[in-house]
Amino acid sequence: MDELLVANGDITLRVEVTGDGPVILCVHGWPELAHSWRHQVAHFSERGYTVAAMDVRGYCWSSAPPEMERYTLRELAGDVAAVAGALSDEPVILAGHDWGAPIAWHAAIRHPDRVRA
């Protein structure tokens, strides 16, 4: 596993990356973190995918701004798009769990050029 730090403006997002191939980006729920995806990361990376699991803004090692308005779905979707862009020039596959699901949905809606599935 490699660790990647991605900047989105003044926010730094920590991402765990494993494997080689098309990118699957995993977005965790509450109160989880990137490590929560470890079993799925192992499964899909063994099958020819690059699997990345990000710590969502406010969790674990990613930035945690104190202002509540910095946690809107627009902001969080922008974080996902920034990570997707740092991982691949091609659109990525998104997987979201719990609170990560609406974040992934909004990322797909707001940034269709970064998401293929």
Side-chain angles (χ1 to χ4, degrees), residues 8-28:
N8 185 24
D10 65 341
I11 298 296
T12 300
L13 302 155
R14 181 184 165 275
V15 185
E16 296 177 358
V17 184
T18 304
D20 188 39
V23 176
I24 299 172
L25 174 55
C26 303
V27 186
H28 67 78

Side-chain angles (χ1 to χ4, degrees), residues 23-102:
V23 176
I24 299 172
L25 174 55
C26 303
V27 186
H28 67 78
W30 184 89
E32 299 174 337
L33 44 108
H35 183 72
S36 302
W37 290 95
R38 66 193 175 282
H39 301 294
Q40 293 84 356
V41 167
H43 177 83
F44 286 107
S45 65
E46 290 168 2
R47 285 157 179 81
Y49 289 90
T50 297
V51 187
M54 61 185 286
D55 285 331
V56 173
R57 175 189 298 223
Y59 295 84
C60 202
W61 299 109
S62 288
S63 297
E67 304 87 5
M68 197 165 62
E69 63 272 8
R70 305 281 311 270
Y71 294 88
T72 65
L73 283 169
R74 178 183 301 272
E75 295 282 337
L76 297 169
D79 290 346
V80 170
V83 171
L87 293 168
S88 176
D89 292 332
E90 299 296 320
V92 304
I93 299 166
L94 283 183
H97 168 71
D98 187 66
W99 173 235

